[in-house]
């Protein structure tokens, strides 16, 4: 068996990528499995099935928590597959659970990611839609620094481990799904089952991840305007999300994407 480990920042599109690859026969996209060890509240059930999942059972989780090595082999046996796709994202999670055989670094356009990240921070405190967040220059600078730090750390770790790696611009998968999917499968040595792109048509058994991307479920139901904004996106999960164009001015987008640290990080990603 082998493991493909997704690295990247939160809101990079890892849940969608995991769910698509999960549709390939012999592959299990298991999600963010580190929560089995890290969530003291027990929120590590299958996102879709809850505690009644035939794969992520309470008994299996209990065994993992007591004796979690070899981690990935346990998950492969439980799902009866040869390839496990994990979306732990943070390199330190792989240091603890086991380095993947191949790294898949998923990233979004920096300006778009910065707006998503800042929106998430705002929604914790108020019912605000993404287009209205109006970030300050300091907030945008901090967000861009978070993005560059995350990906430089991930790339440094990949280089240190010496494992083969692939870098996937998430927008390519959205705007050119078929060709990008075939390219990605070729790089990952997986069969390119095109039906896998229709990831909403099948069940997925994963730990955590983006509930909206998986099931069209919005967790923050106490935010009616935010909820409505999300519902408008439901018909087309593989449509390009351009909401950041309404939240930022053109010069702000350019300032982020063309800044020296961001350009240097993008060059590293493109060279993978």
């Amino acid at each position: 068996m082998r493991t493909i480990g997704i690295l990247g920042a939160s809101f990079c599109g890892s849940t969608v990528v995991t769910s698509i690859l999960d549709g390939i026969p012999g592959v299990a996209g298991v999600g963010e499995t580190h929560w089995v060890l890290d969530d003291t509240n027990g929120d590590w059930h299958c996102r879709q099935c809850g505690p009644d999942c035939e794969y992520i059972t309470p008994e299996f989780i209990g065994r993992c928590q007591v004796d979690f090595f070899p981690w990935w082999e346990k998950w492969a046996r439980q799902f009866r597959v040869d390839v496990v796709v994990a979306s732990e994202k943070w390199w330190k999670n792989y240091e603890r659970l086991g380095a993947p055989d191949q790294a898949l670094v998923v990233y979004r356009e920096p300006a778009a990611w910065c707006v998503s990240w800042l929106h998430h921070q705002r929604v914790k405190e108020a019912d605000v839609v993404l287009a209205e967040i109006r970030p300050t220059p300091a907030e945008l600078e901090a967000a861009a620094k978070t993005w560059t730090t995350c990906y430089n750390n991930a790339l440094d770790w990949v280089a240190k481990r010496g494992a083969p790696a692939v870098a996937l611009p998430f927008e390519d998968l959205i705007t050119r799904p078929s060709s990008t999917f075939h390219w990605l499968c070729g790089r990952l040595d997986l069969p390119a089952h095109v039906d896998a792109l229709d990831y909403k048509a099948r069940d997925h058994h994963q730990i955590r991840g983006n509930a909206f991307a998986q099931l069209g479920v919005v967790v923050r139901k106490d935010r009616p305007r935010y909820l409505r904004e999300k519902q408008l996106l439901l018909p087309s999960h593989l449509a390009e999300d351009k909401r950041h164009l309404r939240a930022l001015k053109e010069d702000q987008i350019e300032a982020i994407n063309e800044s020296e640290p961001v350009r240097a990080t993008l060059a590293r990603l493109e060279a993978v």
Side-chain angles (χ1 to χ4, degrees), residues 170-225:
F170 184 68
E171 283 83 5
D172 285 2
L173 184 62
I174 301 303
T175 58
R176 301 189 301 276
S178 181
S179 60
T180 302
F181 176 69
H182 278 82
W183 168 84
L184 180 62
C185 288
R187 292 291 305 272
L188 297 176
D189 194 24
L190 295 173
H193 287 258
V194 180
D195 289 347
L197 284 169
D198 188 15
Y199 72 96
K200 293 287 293 179
R202 62 183 59 82
D203 292 337
H204 301 283
H205 306 284
Q206 302 173 11
I207 301 288
R208 292 284 190 99
N210 187 319
F212 180 76
Q214 292 169 323
L215 307 171
V217 173
V218 179
V219 176
R220 296 307 301 263
K221 292 183 172 61
D222 59 334
R223 303 285 192 259
R225 297 178 69 241

Side-chain angles (χ1 to χ4, degrees), residues 213-256:
Q214 292 169 323
L215 307 171
V217 173
V218 179
V219 176
R220 296 307 301 263
K221 292 183 172 61
D222 59 334
R223 303 285 192 259
R225 297 178 69 241
Y226 169 70
L227 176 61
R228 175 59 179 162
E229 181 186 40
K230 282 289 193 178
Q231 288 173 334
L232 291 174
L233 298 174
L234 278 173
S236 51
H237 280 281
L238 279 181
E240 188 175 7
D241 186 353
K242 298 182 178 181
R243 290 176 296 163
H244 69 288
L245 299 178
R246 301 197 301 273
L248 299 179
K249 297 177 181 179
E250 187 173 337
D251 61 329
Q252 291 177 306
I253 295 174
E254 183 177 355
I256 295 170

Side-chain angles (χ1 to χ4, degrees), residues 50-73:
D52 298 325
C53 181
E54 64 176 304
Y55 298 102
I56 306 174
T57 65
E59 292 78 15
F60 171 65
I61 294 300
R63 294 198 304 272
C64 289
Q65 290 171 331
V66 171
D67 179 19
F68 60 87
F69 286 116
W71 187 258
W72 304 121
E73 285 83 348

Side-chain angles (χ1 to χ4, degrees), residues 73-171:
E73 285 83 348
K74 288 180 184 294
W75 289 82
R77 288 196 299 269
Q78 184 70 7
F79 279 78
R80 300 184 290 278
V81 295
D82 296 320
V83 180
V84 169
V85 177
S87 51
E88 312 298 337
K89 292 196 287 291
W90 194 28
W91 62 272
K92 286 189 177 181
N93 289 325
Y94 292 110
E95 279 285 297
R96 178 172 48 151
L97 301 175
D101 299 293
Q102 191 165 15
L104 173 55
V105 185
V106 181
Y107 65 99
R108 290 173 59 200
E109 177 198 344
W113 180 87
C114 287
V115 172
S116 293
W117 185 74
L118 289 169
H119 184 220
H120 179 71
Q121 310 306 312
R122 299 281 180 85
V123 168
K124 293 178 181 177
E125 302 173 358
D127 185 15
V128 58
V129 297
L130 187 144
E132 296 176 353
I133 65 171
R134 301 293 184 267
T136 66
E139 288 176 323
L140 289 175
E141 182 179 354
K145 184 176 181 180
T146 298
W147 186 89
T148 56
T149 300
C150 172
Y151 284 100
N152 280 306
N153 285 344
L155 292 171
D156 289 346
W157 182 77
V158 168
K160 179 181 177 182
R161 299 292 306 190
V166 180
L168 170 67
F170 184 68
E171 283 83 5

Side-chain angles (χ1 to χ4, degrees), residues 37-54:
L37 304 177
D38 294 339
D39 192 325
T40 57
N41 295 320
D43 185 16
W44 36 250
H45 297 300
C46 172
R47 175 69 84 180
Q48 183 150 357
C49 307
D52 298 325
C53 181
E54 64 176 304

